[in-house]
């Protein structure tokens, strides 16, 4: 899968993503991450990419021209690679607090794409006319405002990339973790058996797989009910508890 990030701060995005699991996945060739500098596409002789907003108001706005030309160059390059395949247009995600809130479900949907373009805004945002022309998805990472789109793009790319086959070593872990099935994950323990006088629950040492699975589901339900009652209600609606047989 190919991730393309349009940004004024390529080194920030690449520095963050080219480490640890996502960095190793890129070295292995499971994914590819590139950051293109919007400033390289400005026609302004002083390399300016922003200007005051019409109608007044605080702050500067990113102008349409550099954003559009950056996207055109990138989109043509992607289309060139896909030439033979007659595929759909590459989705362009504008990361913005005005978007749909990102979720595990959205990450799974986006992980099916071959290419994704992320557009990171700065200052007060981007001229609406270019957004109208190129953006296919408006996505937010939560109801709070950050200074730019780079961190949200990195968050989304991390969440999407780890669902791409081969990125995680253990194929199972993307399936069993929190949110994958609508529940938070059960508690986990490693050695030693006793730490600060706290014992690992006996059932986990029993080797009885059916009992371990049952315990884990109970713990996941309990944790979700306590910490995320909204998720618990949704889960119970979809998985009504069967009355136990006597
Ligand atoms: N840009 C600034 N704040 C943001 C947020 N919460 N989500 C996505 N992009 C943003």
């Amino acid at each position: 899968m190919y991730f393309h990030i349009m940004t004024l701060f390529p080194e920030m995005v690449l520095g963050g993503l080219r480490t640890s699991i996502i960095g190793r996945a890129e070295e292995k060739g499971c994914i590819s991450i590139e950051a293109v500098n919007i400033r390289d596409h400005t026609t302004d002789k002083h390399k300016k990419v922003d200007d005051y907003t019409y109608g007044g108001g605080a702050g500067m706005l990113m102008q349409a021209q550099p954003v559009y030309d950056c996207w055109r160059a990138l989109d043509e390059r992607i289309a060139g690679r896909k030439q033979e395949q007659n595929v759909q247009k590459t989705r362009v995600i504008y990361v913005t607090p005005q978007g749909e809130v990102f979720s595990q479900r959205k990450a799974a949907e986006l992980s099916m794409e071959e290419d994704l373009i992320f557009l990171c805004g700065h200052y007060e945002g981007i001229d609406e006319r270019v957004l109208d022309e190129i953006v296919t998805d408006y996505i937010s990472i939560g109801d709070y405002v950050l200074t730019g789109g780079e961190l949200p793009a990195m968050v989304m790319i991390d969440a999407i990339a780890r669902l791409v086959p081969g990125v995680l070593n253990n194929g199972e872990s993307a399936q069993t973790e929190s949110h994958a099935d609508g529940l938070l994950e059960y508690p986990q323990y490693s050695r030693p058996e006793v730490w600060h006088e706290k014992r690992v629950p006996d059932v986990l040492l029993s080797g009885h797989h059916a009992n371990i699975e049952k315990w884990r589901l109970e713990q996941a339900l309990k944790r979700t009910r306590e910490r995320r009652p909204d998720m618990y209600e949704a889960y119970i609606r979809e998985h009504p508890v069967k009355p136990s047989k006597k």
Side-chain angles (χ1 to χ4, degrees):
M1 177 166 185
Y2 297 82
F3 295 95
H4 315 267
I5 305 135
M6 295 169 55
T7 170
L8 291 173
F9 301 96
E11 63 297 337
M12 172 180 178
V13 180
L14 294 179
L17 288 171
R18 289 202 168 140
T19 50
S20 188
I21 296 176
I22 303 301
R24 279 202 301 278
E26 196 184 19
E27 281 166 20
K28 278 193 287 179
C30 305
I31 55 169
S32 149
I33 301 171
E34 70 160 342
V36 285
N37 196 336
I38 296 170
R39 197 178 297 279
D40 291 344
H41 295 267
T42 178
T43 50
D44 180 82
K45 63 175 183 293
H46 303 294
K47 290 268 169 200
K48 212 163 66 77
V49 291
D50 60 319
D51 210 331
Y52 295 101
T53 53
Y54 280 114
M60 307 286 269
L61 205 62
M62 279 169 74
Q63 292 167 285
Q65 178 276 317
V67 173
Y68 186 74
D69 288 0
C70 180
W71 168 78
R72 277 276 309 250
L74 178 57
D75 194 57
E76 275 170 19
R77 191 151 47 75
I78 297 169
R81 198 189 74 237
K82 291 175 168 175
Q83 219 166 32
E84 312 292 290
Q85 302 166 41
N86 191 22
V87 280
Q88 283 181 339
K89 236 179 147 29
T90 303
R91 280 166 87 167
V92 179
I93 297 167
Y94 179 43
V95 288
T96 167
Q98 299 179 15
E100 162 192 354
V101 177
F102 191 60
S103 63
Q104 191 64 35
R105 187 185 297 257
K106 197 76 194 171
E109 177 200 320
L110 293 172
S111 72
M112 303 297 176
E113 300 287 330
E114 186 180 353
D115 289 84
L116 282 177
I117 298 175
F118 288 84
L119 170 58
C120 304
H122 249 272
Y123 314 113
E124 286 303 303
I126 301 181
D127 190 305
E128 195 69 23
R129 293 167 295 183
V130 66
L131 299 178
D132 284 347
E133 288 203 16
I134 71 173
V135 173
T136 59
D137 299 77
Y138 293 81
I139 308 185
S140 165
I141 60 161
D143 290 341
Y144 43 84
V145 179
L146 302 169
T147 54
E150 284 73 17
L151 286 170
M154 288 160 70
V155 166
M156 290 184 220
I157 291 168
D158 189 290
I160 296 164
R162 59 192 290 291
L163 301 177
V164 172
V167 170
L168 299 183
N169 288 328
N170 176 359
E172 207 189 311
S173 49
Q175 277 307 309
T176 58
E177 72 209 357
S178 294
H179 293 275
D181 57 4
L183 289 177
L184 301 182
E185 199 175 19
Y186 45 80
Q188 302 198 77
Y189 305 87
S190 183
R191 278 193 285 199
E193 262 179 56
V194 182
W195 180 81
H196 281 202
E197 296 171 19
K198 295 182 172 78
R199 288 194 62 78
V200 172
D202 286 338
V203 62
L204 299 179
L205 309 175
S206 69
H208 191 301
H209 292 297
N211 283 354
I212 292 172
E213 284 313 305
K214 183 166 172 282
W215 181 87
R216 285 180 167 167
L217 177 61
E218 286 163 4
Q219 292 294 315
L221 284 162
K222 176 170 180 287
R223 177 159 284 191
T224 310
R225 180 160 38 84
E226 287 167 2
R227 297 187 187 177
R228 287 292 303 272
D230 56 325
M231 277 176 70
Y232 181 78
E233 289 304 321
Y235 183 87
I236 290 300
R237 246 179 278 127
E238 281 178 35
H239 307 78
V241 186
K242 295 187 196 95
S244 58
K245 287 188 205 123
K246 279 269 151 75

